[in-house]
Amino acid sequence: SNSSIPVSYVQYVQNSSNLFCIQTLFTACELGVFDHLDASEHPLSAMAVAQGLSTSKDGMERLLSACVGLELLTTQPILYSNTEMSTMFLTKSSPQSLYHSIEYSSNTIYLCWHYLKDAVREGKNQYEKAFGVSSKDLFEALYRSDEEMVKFMQLMNSVWNICGKDVLTAFDLSPFKSIYDLGGCSGALAKLCVSVYPECTVTIFDLPKVTETCRKHFLSDEDVRISLHKGDFFKDTLPDADLFILARILHDWKEERCILLLDKVYKSCKPGGGVLLVEALLSEDNSGPVTAQLYSLNMLVQTEGRERKGSEYTRLLSAAGFSSVHIHSAGHIYSVILALKG
Ligand code: SAM
């Protein structure tokens, strides 16, 4: 009977409550609510926040009240302050800030997801509809302006500031002295890698405008054991190295491209060296985890690739020539796969 249907499920479906929640979070973040409350020495009224952020009082009152309902803020009757979690993850200056990830989701990913139906029908990403740019070259579309590229690069860093160390310590990488991070982007993993493994050097290999931006905005003079190498990993020769890291690279591409890239990596890998893949893995029976299932849809609307199972990566690595393949699922979003040459 109707009465056996959980009310929360009906609310979830009927009210699109997820849409409301996520837009509330995006808006509070982007208007600067969490930063403003963080900067204040005491809890603030809705009026004070509205004045500080130049918004309507009525709109701000409703936004703050919804944030309390979502447990993003706390309130003593009419004064608002951040929860501990909001201070840690939603303010811009926190070392674990997810601000850039939220900003990118709100302004880019969300627009692509608007066309999920078309993506499912057509089996391809939706940059043309969402942004009016050709998606013939995936990263030309992603980097359609310098500003978009910097935002993407900030997005890439944010998750590694939270779980990058776990990824890099899943296996003992200390035997590998020269490490290439293919598609290393803004360098968060490279920085963590040199701090965890004091004897290694890491080279970030990426497209020319990415390495240029990385040097300008993301690396400092202190990063002496990190260097940059501009190139196209599909077209150019890869330099020899002990270890190649490919973090969130293969999930961008169709199988043929993954095979091409892993073949090149195998050829350039020194004997006894290896390759480290970092990806969100689907379970072998496809039953989860839901994060990887949703990420795979995200890959459909945004890239040319998909999320894969551990066995699919093992098959790709073995086909390229790598012999022993070890999978470490840390219980986080991302799993780590180490495969060795010879
Ligand atoms: N590895 C980083 C991480 O996990 O944060 C970034 C992953 S991002 C999804 C993919 C990266 O691959 C981007 O930095 C992009 O610029 C780079 N990339 C894409 N195509 C490339 C190519 N043909 N040659 C070199 N780098 C490429």
Side-chain angles (χ1 to χ4, degrees), residues 139 143 152 156 160 183-185 205-207 210 231-234 247-249 251-253:
F139 279 85
Y143 301 152
F152 179 83
M156 287 297 107
W160 300 136
C185 202
F205 184 105
D206 214 302
L207 297 166
V210 176
D232 180 323
F233 52 45
F234 291 122
R248 298 188 286 183
I249 300 299
H251 76 169
D252 288 339
W253 306 106

Side-chain angles (χ1 to χ4, degrees), residues 137-139 142-143 149 152-153 155-160 181-189 204-208 210-211 229-236 245-253 257 261 278 299 303 334:
D137 181 323
L138 175 60
F139 279 85
L142 264 157
Y143 301 152
M149 184 176 64
F152 179 83
M153 292 176 75
L155 164 80
M156 287 297 107
N157 266 3
S158 56
V159 76
W160 300 136
D181 188 359
L182 294 185
C185 202
S186 29
L189 272 188
I204 298 168
F205 184 105
D206 214 302
L207 297 166
V210 176
T211 53
H229 186 135
K230 60 178 179 202
D232 180 323
F233 52 45
F234 291 122
K235 295 185 183 143
D236 299 330
I245 297 177
L246 281 82
R248 298 188 286 183
I249 300 299
L250 297 183
H251 76 169
D252 288 339
W253 306 106
R257 289 254 164 160
L261 187 53
V278 184
M299 292 299 113
T303 71
Y334 293 104

